[in-house]
Amino acid sequence: MTLLEVKDIHSYYGKSHILQGVSLNVVQDEVLCLLGRNGAGKTTTLKSIIGLVLPKQGSILFKGKEIVGKEPFEIARMGIGYVPEDRRVYPDLTIKENLDVIPQRQVPQKERWSVEKIFALFPVLKKLQGSKGMELSGGEQQMLTIARTLMGNPEILLLDEPSEGLAPMIVKELEHLIRRIKAHSTILLVEQNSRFAIELSDRGYIIEKGKIHFEGNIEDLKKNSEIKERYLAV
C-alpha cells in the first residue's frame, strides 16, 4: 500500500526555485532512499513533506489525505515522524527527560513505543539515561533524536542525513539500528552517503538540482554505474 505520495511539488526559498516538479512514493513497510549530492534538494523534500517548507505547487498525500498547508505538528499527529539533520536534542534535559516530553499519537497498545521499548532497542541510551543532551557524543545524540521521534508513534519515519559527521564504526551501528526499526516503521531515508543508504533500502530515487533523475529498485541502482557516477560521485 502506498503510504506517502509526493506529486509534482515545486518548493522555493525566497525566489530560489529549489524543487522543480519532484514526485515520489513510499510504500508501507519499506525503506526508501532519496540520494543526491549536497544541495540537490533532499532536505527540502523532507521539509516540504513535514510542513516546514510550503510547496507553491503540487500535492502531498499521506494515506490518501492531502497534507500540503497543514502545520508541522498536525502532520506529526497524523503519523509522520521527522528526524532533522541537526538533531536538536534538548541540551539541558537528560536522555529520559528528552523521551518523556514527547506527546504520543494514539495507536493500539501493541504498536505504542514506551521508554522501556526504546531502551531495549537503544541499550546505549539506557546506560546513559541520566546524562544530559549536551553531554552526549554526536552518535549518541543521533540515536536520541531517532528514539525521541519514535516515541511519537509514527507510521513513517523521515530520516535526514543520519550518518552525517559520524565515525565509520558508529555508522555501522546505526545501520543495524535502522534495520531493526524497519520492523516497526516505514522509512524515507535521505542521504549523501550512498553506500550506507543503498545497503539499507528496498528502492531508491536520485535527485539533482531539484529534479528526480532516477527511480527504481535497489538492485537496479547497484548495477547502474553510469547513473551513480553521474549523480552521486563527488
Side-chain angles (χ1 to χ4, degrees):
M1 181 185 80
T2 298
L3 197 60
L4 179 69
E5 188 174 6
V6 177
K7 300 164 67 174
D8 192 32
I9 62 169
H10 292 254
S11 295
Y12 294 73
Y13 290 133
K15 293 183 179 180
S16 297
H17 192 179
I18 306 301
L19 301 184
Q20 303 177 29
V22 167
S23 297
L24 59 84
N25 67 85
V26 187
V27 177
Q28 191 168 7
D29 299 327
E30 74 171 348
V31 176
L32 178 79
C33 62
L34 177 62
L35 305 174
R37 297 186 180 96
N38 189 37
K42 304 185 303 299
T43 292
T44 305
T45 300
L46 293 193
K47 287 185 174 181
S48 297
I49 293 169
I50 200 62
L52 295 172
V53 171
L54 179 64
K56 291 188 177 181
Q57 182 181 326
S59 175
I60 303 174
L61 302 177
F62 178 61
K63 298 170 69 174
K65 295 181 179 180
E66 181 64 65
I67 61 174
V68 170
K70 292 186 179 295
E71 294 293 333
F73 75 89
E74 295 176 300
I75 296 171
R77 287 176 180 173
M78 292 175 71
I80 299 180
Y82 175 54
V83 179
E85 61 179 329
D86 54 0
R87 297 165 190 158
R88 299 187 187 178
V89 301
Y90 297 113
D92 294 320
L93 298 184
T94 66
I95 286 175
K96 188 172 185 306
E97 288 168 344
N98 264 272
L99 299 175
D100 285 337
V101 299
I102 301 303
Q104 288 203 311
R105 191 173 66 92
Q106 292 304 306
V107 297
Q109 183 67 40
K110 65 179 181 179
E111 300 174 16
R112 194 173 304 167
W113 284 94
S114 63
V115 172
E116 290 73 24
K117 286 182 181 179
I118 289 292
F119 283 161
L121 186 63
F122 300 82
V124 66
L125 296 185
K126 181 178 181 179
K127 182 180 178 181
L128 298 170
Q129 61 181 288
S131 300
K132 292 185 177 181
M134 69 175 73
E135 299 169 341
L136 305 178
S137 68
E140 290 160 354
Q141 286 187 355
Q142 184 64 76
M143 290 181 191
L144 176 56
T145 307
I146 295 172
R148 187 181 61 188
T149 305
L150 288 175
M151 283 294 292
N153 300 319
E155 288 188 58
I156 182 170
L157 200 60
L158 311 181
L159 291 177
D160 194 0
E161 303 276 10
S163 75
E164 186 179 17
L166 302 183
M169 185 173 66
I170 303 300
V171 171
K172 197 68 180 175
E173 188 176 345
L174 186 61
E175 180 182 326
H176 293 312
L177 182 62
I178 292 173
R179 290 187 192 281
R180 294 177 66 187
I181 292 171
K182 184 184 176 183
H184 304 276
S185 181
T186 303
I187 297 172
L188 171 53
L189 172 63
V190 155
E191 264 294 346
Q192 192 171 342
N193 183 341
S194 58
R195 290 184 181 180
F196 169 76
I198 287 171
E199 285 304 312
L200 286 166
S201 301
D202 302 297
R203 292 190 302 121
Y205 288 78
I206 295 176
I207 188 171
E208 174 71 14
K209 295 181 180 178
K211 297 180 180 180
I212 299 295
H213 289 270
F214 172 89
E215 61 175 290
N217 67 55
I218 216 66
E219 292 305 318
D220 290 340
L221 180 54
K222 284 180 178 179
K223 296 173 185 175
N224 199 327
S225 56
E226 180 183 348
I227 285 289
K228 289 190 290 184
E229 181 68 26
R230 181 182 300 174
Y231 296 114
L232 301 180
V234 178

